[in-house]
Amino acid sequence: MSTKPFELSAEQRDAVINFFQRIPFNQALGIQMGEMSAEKVIMTLPMKPELIGNFVHGILHGGVISSLLDVAGGAMALIGAFDKHQHLSASERMARLSKLGTIDLRVDYLRPGRGQLFTASAVLLRSGNKVAVVRSELHSDDGTLVAVGTGTYLCG
């Protein structure tokens, strides 16, 4: 017996976007929500002067890099949790998903963050009943891989 693969509904996609767009820190950074599916999350971040860490070279701050990887990873973990908690009532599901949080985040900074637009993508490595593990990448607008991250998230 095979189970139908999980597909993110338009309502669920909108809920994820709304959740992450309401976070003041995400607004302050200027994170823009992109693709959302059961397979992948993509977000973009336009460069702005407030995000520079090395003012001599105009390089994106490392804290901004890790934040963007974390936000993309958290969104992917949330989507994975939708799949795991389908059997719950809407109120139970929301109560569990409201506890979403980062347990651990490891970031490898590979190259300086140079560019005008950065793209973060995240894929789910494992989603359990309470914890999800996500792999994220950050690319600059010329395609350069700037950083990779692996995050562990509490999602239920």
Side-chain angles (χ1 to χ4, degrees):
M1 185 171 141
S2 67
T3 59
K4 184 179 175 187
F6 175 71
E7 288 187 31
L8 192 66
S9 71
E11 182 181 323
Q12 290 169 326
R13 181 186 184 283
D14 291 345
V16 173
I17 290 171
N18 184 47
F19 179 82
F20 283 91
Q21 285 180 333
R22 292 182 65 196
I23 297 172
F25 185 69
N26 295 351
Q27 294 171 13
L29 290 179
I31 296 172
Q32 299 171 351
M33 309 305 277
E35 178 184 332
M36 299 266 163
S37 70
E39 292 78 34
K40 182 185 272 190
V41 165
I42 296 178
M43 298 178 179
T44 58
L45 179 71
M47 178 59 111
K48 54 186 181 179
E50 306 90 284
L51 303 180
I52 292 174
N54 181 322
F55 65 89
V56 175
H57 296 285
I59 296 170
L60 189 64
H61 192 284
V64 175
I65 291 170
S66 65
S67 294
L68 185 55
L69 291 173
D70 188 33
V71 172
M76 190 72 248
L78 184 61
I79 290 170
F82 278 139
D83 181 25
K84 290 292 180 186
H85 301 316
Q86 289 183 79
H87 64 286
L88 299 174
S89 70
S91 61
E92 275 185 295
R93 190 176 325 118
M94 288 316 297
R96 285 196 184 189
L97 297 179
S98 71
K99 297 175 184 172
L100 177 72
T102 307
I103 296 171
D104 184 62
L105 179 65
R106 175 188 163 82
V107 176
D108 291 310
Y109 299 94
L110 306 174
R111 291 187 180 76
R114 292 189 177 99
Q116 293 306 305
L117 183 69
F118 298 91
T119 302
S121 60
V123 295
L124 198 58
L125 297 179
R126 184 181 189 292
S127 183
N129 289 326
K130 294 194 181 278
V131 174
V133 180
V134 178
R135 181 72 170 172
S136 303
E137 294 185 351
L138 181 70
H139 289 87
S140 62
D141 46 15
D142 68 359
T144 300
L145 181 61
V146 174
V148 295
T150 303
T152 306
Y153 299 87
L154 177 65
C155 47

